[in-house]
Structure formats: C-alpha cells, structure tokens
Amino acid sequence: MKIDWLIVGAGFTGCILAEQIASRLDQNVLIVEKRDHIGGNAYDCYDENGVLAHQYGPHLFHTNSKKVWDYLSTFTEWLFYQHHVLAVIDGKKVPVPFNLNSLHMLFPIGYANKMEMKLIDRYGLGKKVPILEMIEDSDEEIQQLADFVYKKVFLGYTLKQWGIDPKNLDSSVTARVPIHISRDDRYFQDKYQAVPKSGYTAMFKNIIKNPNIKILLKTDYKELKDRFSAAKMVYTGPIDEFFDYKYGELPYRSLNFKSIHHSNTDYYQETSQINYPNDYDFTRITEYKHITQQKTAGTTIMVEEACPYLRGMNDPYYPIPNKEHTELYRKYHAEADKIKNRVLFIGRLAEYRYYNMDQVVARALQTFERQIINK
Ligand code: FAD
Ligand code: UDP
C-alpha cells in the first residue's frame, strides 16, 4: 500500500487528522502508536471487574465550541454529565472551584454573608476571579479571604501536583480553577458537557474507521524513522524527542495512577472527584461510576499522585508552563518551522501546550483546513 501520510500518535490529534485526510482527501494514512492502544491519554477500558475506567486519569469533555461538539457527535452518542468536585478543607468537603457555597460551608453565617456581599459588589455575581488576582485585592478583608483560599485550596495541591509554589508557576495554571462568585457548584460552565456514551475508545475506533487508515500499535516512530519515508507527516509526540533533544529536554510532570477496586460497596465517595489539597501525598481520587453512570456491583477508584517526569521511566503528562520552558520550546518550534512543508507538529506534546481535549480537537480541525487542504 502506498502511504501518503505518516501520523505519529493515535490520540485526539493524530486520529482526527487521519480521519480528515482519509475522508476528505481520499489519501492513505498510516498511524504509528507506541502504546498498545488508540486514544492517547483519553483511552478508557473495562477493568477486570467490569468497571469502565479512564486509564490515564479522569477525562471530562467540555466545550463551548459547537463546531467541536458537532464534529465529535458524528462519531459518538453522548452521556450528559456535569462534573462536580469536592475538596477536603479543614475536615469538611466543600465545592471546588471555591465559590459562595464553599464560603458558607467553611465560615460562620455572619462572616460568610458579609463576604458574599463584598465579593459580589467588588467583582459581580457570576464572575470568575483567578486566585493570584484576588490575593492582590486592595480590600484588606477580601485579601484575607483570598489568602485563606490560597493556602487551603491551592498551595498544598499545587506543590504536590507541580512541585512548585503557585506563585512561581505560570498564572494560567491556577486560573483554570478560578474563585467563582456564584452558587453554581459545577467544575465547568461550558455549554456542552458530556462523555462518549460507549466510552472514549469506542469513539476513537469510529474516528479511524475509514479503510484508508491503517494503524500499527506498539510501534515507536524512533525505531521506524530511518526505514520509512512517507510523503508527508503529522507528529504528535514530544517535539524535543523529534529533534534528539538538541537544545535540552523540555520539562514535564508525570503521574502515578493507582487503581483500587472495592467489591463490598456500590459507591466509594459522594461525587466523581475529591481533591486533597492538604492531606496525604496524592492529589485527588476519582470514582468512575459517577462519570459513566454504569450500573455494576462494586466500584473502582483511581488515586493520582504526581511525580517528576524521568525520560524512559514514565510518561510526560503535563507540560510545565513558564517563561523559561516557553523559550526552550520556541527553539524547537523554530526547527519545526524549517521543515513545515514535510512535517506538521500538532497536539499537547508537539506544541508543548496544556491543551484540553476540545482545544486539541479544534486545533486538529483548524490545521487540516489551514495547513493541509488549503495549502
Ligand atoms: P496524547 O493524547 O498525548 O496522544 C499522543 C500519542 O502519541 C500518545 O498515545 C503517545 O503514546 C503517542 N506517541 C508519542 N511519542 C510517540 C512515538 N515516538 N512513536 C509513536 N507514538 C508516540 N482534557 C480535557 O478536556 N478534560 C479532562 O478532564 C482532561 N483530563 C486530563 C487528565 C490527565 C491526567 C491528563 C494527563 C490530561 C487530561 N486532559 C483532559 C487533556 C487531554 O488528555 C489532552 O488534551 C489530549 O489527550 C491531547 O491529545 P493529543 O493527541 O495531543 O496527545
Ligand atoms: N488546583 C488546586 N487545587 C484544587 C484544584 C486545582 O490548587 O483543588 C490548581 C492546581 O495547580 C492544578 C490547577 O489548579 O494543577 C489546574 O487544575 P485542573 O483541575 O484544571 O487540573 P487537571 O485536571 O488538568 O489536572
């Protein structure tokens, strides 16, 4: 078979670009994936107890983009699901993002009422305020409350998750979970929120169903690259690896996932995700049945503990956004630019960006329109 395109990586980015090339250009695509499955970090499967679990941590789909939603809806039906997260603060489980309900659960009624009025006056009802902005507020009482939230919700969690103080991390990271001046307890407020009805992996199988697409699992591009030349290529792996780390390694954060099955109870905790900013070494526990709404006896939970990324030892899950790392990435990006007619570098690892799933879907669709079909 003649291969028109080689795609490295079978995550969202690789699979969607394969689908677009195969169906809209009627060209042949070979995907190589070093893991033994498709789906990238969104991969899910049934564990030995029959519980559908996300192997690489909880994946909640949420987007405001109708284009992204409509595109994925051609490959899956949906299970509507709104994510709710609790965090253990001073022995109480309160909603995160920290909001007006969290305020009332943690403080005496008089203080909570006063601060609720103050926050609404200052920021407006419904506003989302990054913690690093609120701790700079000129009002002393708001500053004190923000300081409490910083210490109890963000400091411990961020130190565990990133090994870095929130103030030394790019502000965009903690701004993902802003203080919400609202009674809305949901983790996300996006217009579309759901998980694929039969799971992510089933959706991925449909995305790459076109007979123009072939896939080789358990195949590392590194071992293939000198023996293979496709006309064009999409690379979704780590960009520094592609260029043999010539400018040094881009830092990542990795995770240890511990899956535990409880056969003596149908549910382990009251909601899908509970965060532990101040206790234990792990950051969060996810219980999948709350997400997938599966009816089974017993339940499986996943405990996540972050750790340093060590090349060859574990996986690079999170790019660590800051100025120094962005500068290093730019050097690799400049190399990539020189070969952009032959190789496209797209996705969370290839662009060294902390993308959510909907962002990589949008990015893949946009890349096809701008850099492939309209070239
Ligand atoms: P990936 O999914 O990383 O896929 C890249 C693929 O390339 C991988 O399968 C990898 O094995 C393969 N590969 C790499 N190098 C090579 C090589 N040399 N040869 C062959 N194959 C190679 N997003 C959300 O929107 N909501 C969430 O709730 C959410 N939760 C997350 C939780 C965790 C713990 C993590 C880590 C991420 C989460 N995300 C979430 C982000 C989401 O996983 C990513 O946005 C998305 O998976 C990125 O897709 P991608 O195709 O760019 O990369
Ligand atoms: N965060 C925190 N405490 C929490 C939840 C989040 O400090 O209870 C911070 C932490 O730095 C985390 C970041 O906000 O890494 C982003 O959180 P998010 O839930 O978006 O992380 P992800 O699901 O991508 O791991």
Side-chain angles (χ1 to χ4, degrees):
M1 176 180 123
K2 180 177 151 280
I3 302 297
D4 300 305
W5 288 80
L6 175 67
I7 295 188
V8 178
F12 269 103
T13 310
C15 289
I16 290 172
L17 279 165
E19 183 278 324
Q20 293 281 288
I21 292 165
S23 61
R24 294 180 59 192
L25 298 180
D26 195 21
Q27 293 183 357
N28 290 315
V29 182
L30 175 66
I31 306 178
V32 292
E33 167 56 59
K34 68 179 181 185
R35 290 172 169 164
D36 63 359
H37 60 74
I38 57 173
N41 288 336
Y43 171 72
D44 56 12
C45 63
Y46 289 87
D47 67 14
E48 62 271 26
N49 301 293
V51 178
L52 182 59
H54 302 172
Q55 187 154 314
Y56 304 98
H59 275 70
L60 302 319
F61 183 78
H62 58 102
T63 189
N64 282 317
S65 164
K66 183 172 176 347
K67 187 175 174 187
V68 166
W69 176 257
D70 288 346
Y71 172 77
L72 290 179
S73 300
T74 59
F75 304 104
T76 188
E77 288 181 53
W78 298 99
L79 204 55
F80 293 95
Y81 167 76
Q82 312 255 343
H83 198 40
H84 286 85
V85 177
L86 297 172
V88 180
I89 311 291
D90 291 346
K92 289 189 183 138
K93 290 177 185 151
V94 307
V96 166
F98 191 93
N99 62 23
L100 298 176
N101 292 330
S102 327
L103 174 72
H104 280 271
M105 287 167 82
L106 286 168
F107 291 99
I109 180 86
Y111 175 80
N113 280 340
K114 182 171 95 178
M115 292 313 292
E116 172 170 356
M117 299 284 286
K118 246 192 167 175
L119 290 169
I120 293 171
D121 268 3
R122 171 76 181 88
Y123 296 108
L125 190 63
K127 273 280 149 53
K128 294 181 173 179
V129 190
I131 184 63
L132 294 180
E133 192 181 314
M134 198 182 271
I135 48 174
E136 301 293 333
D137 201 292
S138 55
D139 182 288
E140 206 173 306
E141 284 182 314
I142 292 183
Q143 211 184 82
Q144 273 167 7
L145 175 64
D147 199 46
F148 171 90
V149 177
Y150 176 83
K151 287 195 178 115
K152 300 280 184 172
V153 180
F154 288 95
L155 182 60
Y157 191 103
T158 304
L159 281 170
K160 284 193 268 186
Q161 176 71 13
W162 300 95
I164 303 174
D165 188 302
K167 286 177 183 154
N168 296 327
L169 196 60
D170 193 280
S171 59
S172 63
V173 175
T174 45
R176 287 169 62 90
V177 188
I179 316 302
H180 195 188
I181 316 296
S182 165
R183 293 276 184 172
D184 182 347
D185 277 343
R186 294 171 303 161
Y187 206 63
F188 310 112
Q189 275 69 39
D190 300 53
K191 189 163 172 186
Y192 307 97
Q193 303 188 41
V195 287
K197 198 169 188 173
S198 305
Y200 286 95
T201 306
M203 177 180 76
F204 278 101
K205 281 187 186 152
N206 287 334
I207 294 176
I208 58 169
K209 213 150 87 186
N210 191 307
N212 288 343
I213 303 172
K214 300 281 176 270
I215 178 151
L216 283 176
L217 296 177
K218 294 193 262 181
T219 306
D220 194 321
Y221 169 67
K222 278 201 297 280
E223 271 117 54
L224 189 102
K225 65 179 180 187
D226 299 328
R227 287 186 280 130
F228 196 95
S229 69
K232 295 217 169 168
M233 192 169 148
V234 173
Y235 182 83
T236 78
I239 190 168
D240 52 350
E241 180 179 310
F242 186 92
F243 293 107
D244 293 323
Y245 308 99
K246 65 191 281 192
Y247 299 114
E249 286 188 41
L250 281 165
Y252 286 93
R253 198 74 176 149
S254 192
L255 295 170
N256 283 317
F257 300 108
K258 194 161 146 200
S259 197
I260 304 168
H261 185 73
H262 293 270
S263 54
N264 54 351
T265 178
D266 282 351
Y267 285 95
Y268 173 83
Q269 60 190 27
E270 50 273 67
T271 188
S272 7
Q273 188 182 318
I274 300 195
N275 291 359
Y276 293 83
N278 309 300
D279 313 289
Y280 311 110
D281 291 332
F282 55 82
T283 51
R284 59 186 179 189
I285 297 182
T286 302
E287 183 172 19
Y288 288 114
K289 278 173 70 176
H290 287 290
I291 301 171
T292 60
Q293 294 153 53
Q294 207 188 340
K295 304 272 177 280
T296 51
T299 187
T300 300
I301 58 163
M302 180 172 267
V303 182
E304 275 175 71
E305 190 174 329
C307 59
Y309 166 61
L310 299 167
R311 180 150 62 95
M313 308 288 284
N314 52 20
D315 283 331
Y317 291 116
Y318 291 87
I320 307 176
N322 72 20
K323 226 171 128 207
E324 188 193 332
H325 304 165
T326 304
E327 270 163 30
L328 180 54
Y329 163 72
R330 286 221 178 94
K331 291 187 186 167
Y332 286 112
H333 179 67
E335 291 293 323
D337 220 33
K338 292 182 199 158
I339 53 170
K340 67 175 183 217
N341 289 331
R342 236 171 5 95
V343 187
L344 297 173
F345 291 82
I346 311 292
R348 182 147 148 149
L349 298 168
E351 295 178 81
Y352 196 67
R353 289 280 297 273
Y354 190 170
Y355 282 140
N356 289 331
M357 292 183 281
D358 64 322
Q359 294 172 302
V360 287
V361 175
R363 188 79 183 99
L365 294 175
Q366 179 202 59
T367 301
F368 180 76
E369 295 297 337
R370 292 192 187 160
Q371 285 172 265
I372 297 180
I373 202 166
N374 287 322
K375 257 205 93 194

